[in-house]
Amino acid sequence: MDDEGQPYEPAVIEPRWQARWRDEGTYEVDNDDPRPKSYVLCMYPYPSGAAHMGHVRNYTFGDLLVRYRTMNGQAVLSPIGFDSFGLPAENAAIKTGEHPRPFTEAKIEELTSSLLRLGASYDWRRVIKSHDPSYIRWTQWIFLQFLKAGLAYRAEAPVNWCPGCQTVLANEQVLADGTCERSGDLVQRKNLEQWFFRITDYAQQLLDDIDDLDWPERVKTMQRNWIGRSEGATFHLPVAEREDLSLEVFTTRPDTSFGMTYAVVAPEHPIVAELTADDRRAEVEAFVAHVTGESELERLSSEGPLDKRGVFTGAHVVNPFTGDPIPVYLADYVLATYGTGAIMAVPGQDQRDWDFAKAYDLPVVRTVLPPEDFDGEAYTGEGPAINSEWLDGLGVADAKAKAIEWLEAKGIGERTVQYRLRDWLLSRQRFWGCPIPVIFCDDCGIVPVPEADLPVVAPDDVEFLPTGESPLNHHAGFLNVTCPACGGPGRRETDTMDTFVDSSWYFLRFADPTDDEAPFSLEAVAEWLPVDQYIGGVEHAILHLMYARFFTKALADLGVAPKELREPFARLFTQGMIRKDGMKMSKSKGNLVTPEEYFERFGADALRLFHFFVGPPQDDMDWHDAGIEGSHRFLGRLWRLGVGEAPGTVVDREATPADVEQDRSRHRLIQRVTDGYERWSYNTSVSAFMEFTNGLYHYLQSEDGARRETLDAAVDSVLLLMAPMAPHITAELWERRRGGHIHTEPWPVADPAMTTVATVTMIVQVNGKVRDRIEVDAGIGDDDAVATALASAKVQAHLNGGQPKKVITRPPKLVNLVV
RNA sequence: GCCCGGGUGGCGUAACUGGUAGCCGCGGGGGGCUUAAACCCCCCUGGCCCCUCGGGGCCGUGUGGGUUCGAAUCCCACCCCGGGCACCA
């Protein structure tokens, strides 16, 4: 590039435009904006410092949509916030003794500057931070509404205790191998008083409403599986020789009840002590002690011999179907928390029951006739009932229905539905979270903090203990309060909320972020919600999305949110993960790649373009930066076109057929790119830009040169179409060429008359093999197509003088001659 | 084990409803510009074979079958990779 040229310098132009968008409030929208409304939201980030490539990918996709829809004349709500409570800040505090707040705020600053440097467009007036007292206040207020409505409750529950984090974990935070997702420690089991949200009240709604969501099918399936609805029956098995006692079981296969040859109870089940025969007591107690002392890992991984996993109680219950007494066992694989904590065992129809029966030498009775060629053990398939008296001959579904009718008629059981979904345990024994706003009083019990006293904010003068225990437990000023009900001495709850609580309503607050009368106004939420397009990582497919859906439904039912608002996110897009060397990119693995160096070397536009180009946005990608330079190179080509420094000749003339053809390809580009943006097919859109730009270089260097008017229209169209992808370079070139602000220009529209092509390459096949390609008129008919095909010497050579037996025509694209 | 995705050049990918497989880019090769290099511009680039150098033939989308005039695309079976769930009664 010579000194007189106008070099492409992203490091100069990008910050200038970023400052301008922020200072002018280009992407600020008011709630009474008259344009059609659209709400585009990327999942708000945990502020861990400067952005990494995962953030870049997420916010780049979101930003394209915001800018694209804005150019399409919509008022786009595009807010950003920070999920700023959480463990990393607290762990840092424990290490350094510094309070998590300044630490967190510094991280927010860093992340904000990365987002700005990326060119992401937000309404910066609406920023939300979970740890901000004005946000804490309303999170606590919502908690109190849930408490009032019975949706929040306190219960003693076996919990997952992480010894490393000194805290309780939700089931979701325990990995499949029984370790803590954060610390990697082995999770233990412990009984503690904890706060829960009654999400199970909404299990059926959460399940039903999945159907209407425009979400990836994969995510919908995960949610359905997580809720895990199963239909069946619960019924009572009277304990033999104990008039007063019965064992309640849940089964999905009441049709197989005649084959029930024993029953199994969870070791933690309250009935165990009463059930156990005296001569078995020692052994049973040893077993229970062993099982409850087991870590989650040991208990779940017990795949070995079953004879160590159960114990006979010495008691019998009566199978109400046969009237026969059957033995009762304890086994570690029966869960106290699912169903009734006890099961009927039908070894003939359930493989696990079969295995247990074999290990303990218990009888097997088949109640469904297996097919003749069946050579397995338990048979779980379809077939007529056998050995089942009045059910014999019925198919599975009919037998189920009849068995349930019988149970209900006898008054010993009923049809029931069970869900795998558990209530949401939200207590965390942490400091850096939203305090749970209740006070314990010896006289009044649990007393909610009066709404006027909110927010309850953790004190600053605290000392972080190396044990990891929350300093709130030792802060007298925070701990000791007067009971708001009786004025007597009270003690504050020191647990804080799971950070998923904060993220369960932030998208509502964005509609009305400074409201100090309510978490948000009904009107503001009605204007913007549901979110039209939610964008985030697939790792949040289950928990965050489930909790946010629950909150939305509960808040709507409580009248806090509009009653009609049943779902928070109408459309969801889950982008793929970025991996490095086959591993998930994460700070803890130390394989984070940050965008800063690329901003410097190639610019934000090149990095953004690379993310669009590298592959389909929903696919996982392995990080490699090989393509970024290519994106930068392409932007350089665009730049030279834009400033008139691309090689070739430009002339003023009346349009020649070649000029018209060039302009047609411009219209096809508009069509192709617009379609690509709608379909999230960004990689193909970039490829269309490159193809088109290559075409312009050829056009310029062609013998006749480029017609100025045609060329200008082509370049301007590319700039407009690329503005959502590469907002800085397009804005800069537009301003230099045309004046004004490209991002407030209307989206270009293709002229349908100009998107068609005059001639098409027709392929001619002989017996399905391509033998010739002939340029034909796009409007060619069957007969002409065949005639053209037969006229081809190449085709004739392959026909060997014979006549085709069959001719398939798909004019103007194809003729296939079959000999 | 069950439920989803996905296997296409050296690499990332494209091919929208079955109709030219490999667009675009990376990497590689060649040429131009330059005193030189970088940048930039142009051309070539799936494999094998033939060739009169213009081209021609065969093979080719994880494997094996099938449907069809025609299959990367649809069906069956299998292999591999990724993700989710996993004693849920």
Side-chain angles (χ1 to χ4, degrees):
Chain A
M1 189 65 57
D2 65 47
D3 293 335
E4 270 103 300
Q6 309 173 59
Y8 171 44
E9 292 177 307
V12 175
I13 62 169
E14 289 182 350
R16 230 186 49 230
W17 283 99
Q18 286 154 9
R20 179 166 166 189
W21 296 324
R22 187 170 192 173
D23 296 344
E24 292 184 1
T26 309
Y27 291 93
E28 291 175 3
V29 290
D30 294 325
N31 289 356
D32 59 0
D33 194 300
R35 295 172 291 175
K37 289 192 168 64
S38 175
Y39 186 176
V40 175
L41 182 63
C42 293
M43 292 178 183
Y44 77 157
Y46 177 79
S48 52
H52 55 72
M53 279 306 160
H55 290 126
V56 169
R57 209 165 160 74
N58 191 199
Y59 299 112
T60 297
F61 294 144
D63 193 53
L64 176 136
L65 215 54
V66 172
R67 293 178 184 271
Y68 171 64
R69 290 189 178 188
T70 301
M71 290 176 80
N72 274 284
Q74 299 178 10
V76 185
L77 177 59
S78 171
I80 184 79
F82 302 93
D83 186 15
S84 50
F85 273 135
L87 214 43
E90 185 163 349
N91 288 341
I94 292 165
K95 235 180 182 168
T96 64
E98 193 198 3
H99 195 280
R101 184 178 301 105
F103 175 87
T104 299
E105 276 164 4
K107 298 290 184 190
I108 289 175
E109 278 313 304
E110 276 185 73
L111 184 48
T112 301
S113 92
S114 292
L115 293 175
L116 284 166
R117 187 61 191 84
L118 181 64
S121 47
Y122 299 112
D123 185 341
W124 292 100
R125 302 170 307 173
R126 296 184 189 247
V127 170
I128 286 174
K129 300 163 188 170
S130 302
H131 78 287
D132 194 315
S134 66
Y135 192 76
I136 292 175
R137 176 183 176 194
W138 295 112
T139 304
Q140 291 173 336
W141 184 87
I142 290 169
F143 175 90
L144 294 180
Q145 309 314 304
F146 280 20
L147 184 61
K148 237 189 288 180
L151 284 171
Y153 66 95
R154 197 168 159 81
E156 178 160 297
V159 293
N160 307 302
W161 177 259
C162 171
C165 305
Q166 285 286 300
T167 191
V168 169
L169 303 177
N171 283 338
E172 298 83 36
Q173 292 164 328
V174 182
L175 301 179
D177 65 356
T179 60
C180 169
E181 66 164 0
R182 283 223 137 97
S183 71
D185 285 314
L186 235 105
V187 175
Q188 299 170 346
R189 303 155 53 72
K190 212 170 169 178
N191 269 333
L192 278 182
E193 282 264 305
Q194 301 286 309
W195 286 100
F196 290 88
F197 283 142
R198 222 178 277 283
I199 190 173
T200 53
D201 273 12
Y202 284 85
Q204 191 61 50
Q205 275 192 56
L206 286 166
L207 181 64
D208 291 342
D209 293 348
I210 292 172
D211 295 347
D212 298 325
L213 294 173
D214 187 1
W215 285 17
E217 220 32 65
R218 162 167 84 125
V219 175
K220 290 165 74 163
T221 304
M222 284 192 232
Q223 293 240 326
R224 289 191 187 103
N225 293 342
W226 192 259
I227 295 168
R229 181 192 152 101
S230 49
E231 291 180 20
T234 48
F235 60 97
H236 288 269
L237 309 175
V239 177
E241 292 151 34
R242 292 286 298 275
E243 309 276 297
D244 55 321
L245 203 58
S246 71
L247 180 67
E248 193 178 28
V249 295
F250 171 71
T251 179
T252 56
R253 293 296 302 274
D255 59 304
T256 65
S257 300
F258 283 94
M260 175 202 321
T261 52
Y262 61 98
V264 190
V265 177
E268 299 91 342
H269 199 293
I271 205 173
V272 170
E274 215 172 340
L275 212 54
T276 305
D278 289 338
D279 63 326
R280 305 286 309 158
R281 196 164 297 277
E283 206 175 326
V284 167
E285 281 172 359
F287 177 77
V288 171
H290 170 68
V291 168
T292 50
E294 268 182 337
S295 71
E296 201 71 9
L297 175 66
E298 289 167 313
R299 187 158 176 185
L300 285 174
S301 69
S302 312
E303 280 170 356
L306 275 166
D307 53 4
K308 292 269 160 41
R309 302 191 55 192
V311 68
F312 179 44
T313 60
H316 289 77
V317 292
V318 177
N319 177 345
F321 287 80
T322 59
D324 296 335
I326 55 171
V328 180
Y329 282 73
L330 305 187
D332 64 355
Y333 66 78
V334 173
L335 307 176
T337 49
Y338 184 79
T340 60
I343 61 165
M344 69 176 210
V346 186
Q349 262 67 236
D350 182 286
Q351 188 59 40
R352 197 196 40 229
D353 292 348
W354 173 285
D355 295 337
F356 192 87
K358 289 295 158 190
Y360 289 87
D361 206 17
L362 294 158
V364 177
V365 177
R366 285 198 190 278
T367 53
V368 179
L369 186 66
E372 277 185 25
D373 57 353
F374 179 76
D375 63 350
E377 298 175 334
Y379 176 67
T380 54
E382 192 56 50
I386 52 171
N387 301 321
S388 298
E389 300 180 17
W390 41 269
L391 291 177
D392 280 353
L394 293 178
V396 170
D398 291 341
K400 273 185 192 175
K402 196 164 177 187
I404 293 172
E405 262 172 53
W406 183 84
L407 286 168
E408 288 180 339
K410 287 264 176 181
I412 53 177
E414 59 188 358
R415 199 189 109 80
T416 42
V417 175
Q418 286 290 334
Y419 300 91
R420 208 193 73 109
L421 184 71
R422 301 267 73 88
D423 273 344
W424 173 8
L425 194 167
L426 65 119
S427 304
R428 295 291 181 273
Q429 290 66 50
R430 309 302 318 186
F431 172 81
W432 193 235
C434 179
I436 294 172
V438 298
I439 290 163
F440 301 111
C441 169
D442 286 342
D443 295 328
C444 313
I446 295 169
V447 182
V449 172
E451 288 178 18
D453 295 348
L454 299 181
V456 175
V457 181
D460 283 350
D461 55 335
V462 288
E463 206 185 326
F464 291 91
L465 306 168
T467 58
E469 198 187 353
S470 168
L472 293 178
N473 293 329
H474 305 281
H475 190 283
F478 179 79
L479 216 48
N480 302 313
V481 286
T482 51
C483 168
C486 69
R491 194 185 151 83
R492 248 186 230 292
E493 169 67 276
T494 56
D495 284 358
T496 55
M497 299 185 208
D498 183 357
T499 56
F500 275 120
V501 179
D502 305 309
S503 56
S504 290
W505 74 280
Y506 77 107
F507 46 89
L508 295 161
R509 180 75 176 171
F510 276 138
D512 193 14
T514 55
D515 199 328
D516 55 9
E517 308 282 306
F520 41 79
S521 76
L522 288 172
E523 297 72 38
V525 167
E527 284 291 347
W528 293 108
L529 275 283
V531 174
D532 295 283
Q533 182 67 62
Y534 198 36
I535 305 166
V538 72
E539 65 272 19
H540 293 115
I542 298 176
L543 294 183
H544 162 59
L545 292 171
M546 189 76 77
Y547 292 154
R549 296 180 63 218
F550 159 61
F551 256 57
T552 301
K553 290 173 190 298
L555 289 170
D557 288 344
L558 292 173
V560 177
K563 269 194 277 304
E564 320 72 57
L565 186 70
R566 302 314 302 174
E567 286 288 336
F569 313 121
R571 300 182 75 200
L572 172 72
F573 186 87
T574 49
Q575 96 230 19
M577 267 188 340
I578 301 184
R579 278 192 298 259
K580 178 95 190 295
D581 313 317
M583 285 187 305
K584 189 185 168 178
M585 226 188 231
S586 77
K587 199 165 196 175
S588 57
K589 294 204 178 73
N591 61 355
L592 281 187
V593 177
T594 60
E596 312 299 333
E597 57 168 310
Y598 299 104
F599 288 156
E600 209 153 300
R601 278 166 62 202
F602 304 115
D605 281 339
L607 183 59
R608 292 167 60 116
L609 198 68
F610 167 75
H611 277 284
F612 290 121
F613 185 53
V614 74
Q618 66 276 17
D619 286 5
D620 289 351
M621 68 164 291
D622 280 301
W623 178 257
H624 54 91
D625 58 10
I628 299 181
E629 204 167 341
S631 298
H632 179 252
R633 209 173 290 164
F634 167 68
L635 290 176
R637 279 165 79 78
L638 178 68
W639 177 267
R640 287 186 289 281
L641 270 178
V643 296
E645 290 181 356
T649 350
V650 184
V651 294
D652 292 293
R653 64 165 175 247
E654 289 299 306
T656 64
D659 298 331
V660 173
E661 200 40 55
Q662 174 60 51
D663 202 46
R664 283 180 176 275
S665 73
R666 179 176 73 91
H667 284 271
R668 287 196 297 275
L669 178 74
I670 294 171
Q671 193 179 44
R672 206 170 144 189
V673 170
T674 305
D675 180 58
Y677 285 4
E678 293 292 336
R679 289 172 37 223
W680 293 77
S681 182
Y682 303 134
N683 49 334
T684 61
S685 299
V686 176
S687 131
F689 286 132
M690 289 174 168
E691 219 179 313
F692 185 76
T693 305
N694 292 344
L696 288 180
Y697 270 72
H698 290 136
Y699 181 51
L700 270 161
Q701 291 173 70
S702 65
E703 246 172 78
D704 299 332
R707 177 173 174 259
R708 183 179 310 280
E709 204 179 314
T710 307
L711 179 69
D712 282 346
V715 174
D716 288 344
S717 291
V718 172
L719 294 179
L720 288 166
L721 293 169
M722 275 186 65
M725 282 189 168
H728 312 87
I729 187 177
T730 52
E732 179 73 18
L733 288 173
W734 187 266
E735 190 181 46
R736 292 185 186 203
R737 294 165 60 83
R738 305 276 307 255
H741 194 187
I742 195 169
H743 294 286
T744 56
E745 287 290 320
W747 193 248
V749 179
D751 176 357
M754 293 290 282
T755 55
T756 55
V757 284
T759 61
V760 176
T761 307
M762 181 173 82
I763 56 168
V764 184
Q765 299 180 329
V766 177
N767 289 331
K769 283 188 191 278
V770 179
R771 295 306 180 187
D772 203 1
R773 294 146 214 229
I774 307 170
E775 281 300 307
V776 297
D777 192 280
I780 196 169
D782 275 14
D783 294 347
D784 287 343
V786 174
T788 309
L790 287 171
S792 157
K794 287 179 192 167
V795 170
Q796 281 302 328
H798 285 276
L799 286 175
N800 289 322
Q803 281 300 307
K805 280 194 297 232
K806 190 171 173 186
V807 178
I808 289 110
T809 52
R810 295 284 181 277
K813 300 206 68 166
L814 172 131
V815 170
N816 187 9
L817 307 167
V818 184
V819 221

